[in-house]
Structures are given as structure tokens and as C-alpha cells.
Amino acid sequence: MEMEEISIEEFERLDMRVGKVLKAEKVPGSRKLIRLEVDIGEGEPRQLVAGIADFYEPEELVGMNIIVLANLRPKKIMGIESRGMLLAADVDGRPVLLTVAEDVPPGTKVR
């Protein structure tokens, strides 16, 4: 599938940062959703909701450094506001979370 090319200016509009998962829990009443609290260097953790519960247990996510798209418009999912999106590779329908090879400070920009 060929994707439309974008300019470097369009790419630079994406605010991608390293985030450290501080807390993760399954969303009550949902089989697929996990609610995460992620430190992305703002002083207060960001709340994200991700449909990854079929592939990850909440406790294995805590402490992980993940990549977060921080300037995505907030969205309510099952009544919970998600303020960003974690990034993952799609391997035959299975999400594989994007991480960093070294321990870097939360909020570090991804370019």
C-alpha cells in the first residue's frame, strides 16, 4: 500500500516524545482497553487509553519507555479521556510497542 508523501514541515508538526509508563490498568467493562498514566515530561502524567489488553498485561507495561504522540486531539473512549496515542508496529494485527534502546528522560523529543 503506497502512502501519500508528506513534507518535513508536516512531519515536524507531530509532537512525539518518550514516555515512561507509571501506572496501567484494565478498563472495567472492556476486554481490549488499558488505561495508562504516562510521564512525558510535563510535570503531571498524561492519561492514555489503548486497545492492547489482548496482547499486554498492565503490570508488564509499568516502567516501560514508550513512544507517545502527544499532540493528538483528546478523545473519550468508554467515558475515559485519552490525551495522546502510544505508537506500535503492526505485526500481522499484533501491536508491538515502540520503545527506545537506552533509558532516556521522559519527555525526550523523537525526531
Side-chain angles (χ1 to χ4, degrees):
M1 177 175 157
E2 192 165 323
M3 299 295 289
E4 178 184 345
E5 291 181 343
I6 64 171
S7 69
I8 191 68
E9 292 80 17
E10 289 171 301
F11 176 78
E12 288 172 345
R13 290 181 56 208
L14 301 176
D15 181 7
M16 294 182 290
R17 303 184 206 173
V18 174
K20 184 171 215 69
V21 178
L22 304 175
K23 185 177 180 182
E25 61 189 11
K26 289 189 176 180
V27 172
S30 172
R31 195 183 97 249
K32 294 183 179 185
L33 298 178
I34 293 179
R35 186 186 76 81
L36 304 102
E37 291 182 18
V38 182
D39 179 358
I40 61 168
E42 297 179 321
E44 293 288 320
R46 281 277 188 110
Q47 178 172 264
L48 308 178
V49 178
I52 59 173
D54 285 343
F55 306 97
Y56 292 93
E57 291 297 324
E59 49 275 1
E60 72 184 291
L61 300 171
V62 175
M64 282 183 74
N65 285 323
I66 60 173
I67 306 303
V68 174
L69 179 57
N71 62 337
L72 189 66
R73 282 189 185 108
K75 180 178 181 179
K76 285 213 175 189
I77 303 170
M78 287 194 66
I80 302 169
E81 185 175 62
S82 184
R83 296 186 51 235
M85 176 188 287
L86 61 81
L87 300 183
D90 182 343
V91 180
D92 297 324
R94 179 184 182 272
V96 177
L97 299 181
L98 299 186
T99 62
V100 290
E102 298 177 30
D103 196 25
V104 298
T108 300
K109 292 277 191 180
V110 175
R111 299 188 230 177

